Amino acid sequence: MTKRLQILLSEAEFEQLRVTARTNDVSVGEWVRQAIRRSFGEPLIRPKQAKLVAVREALAHYAPTADIDQMNAEIEEGYLSGLP
């Protein structure tokens, strides 16, 4: 069984929603349903918290690096070698 949900939006919010749904080739209702489904299981994170989470996740990974001049030389060497 399905249930009806009614929400109130400003004209500007609804227009933005309508444009976004059209861009994604879905109805407004379907876009809202998909957005709700995506939000299930995902904690609500404030923007500052999201940035901190991203930084912490990035720090958890190891990525080799080098001096900037060495990196630029290696990139240039790659370009000149003709490799894709």
Side-chain angles (χ1 to χ4, degrees):
M1 174 181 253
T2 60
K3 297 288 184 179
R4 181 190 265 314
L5 172 68
Q6 180 177 345
I7 60 171
L8 301 176
L9 301 172
S10 69
E11 287 185 36
E13 290 170 326
F14 186 80
E15 180 60 19
Q16 185 177 7
L17 178 59
R18 190 185 65 74
V19 169
T20 301
R22 179 179 286 168
T23 300
N24 288 282
D25 287 327
V26 295
S27 68
V28 168
E30 181 58 25
W31 191 91
V32 170
R33 284 187 291 275
Q34 290 178 14
I36 291 170
R37 289 182 196 119
R38 282 191 303 270
S39 73
F40 289 154
E42 297 178 23
L44 296 176
I45 299 176
R46 295 185 186 106
K48 286 182 185 178
Q49 290 174 319
K51 290 177 185 178
L52 289 173
V53 167
V55 168
R56 288 184 183 120
E57 287 177 0
L59 291 173
H61 301 283
Y62 171 76
T65 187
D67 174 74
I68 188 66
D69 292 327
Q70 179 184 346
M71 289 172 47
N72 286 334
E74 290 175 4
I75 291 169
E76 186 66 23
E77 184 180 328
Y79 286 141
L80 295 175
S81 72
L83 294 175

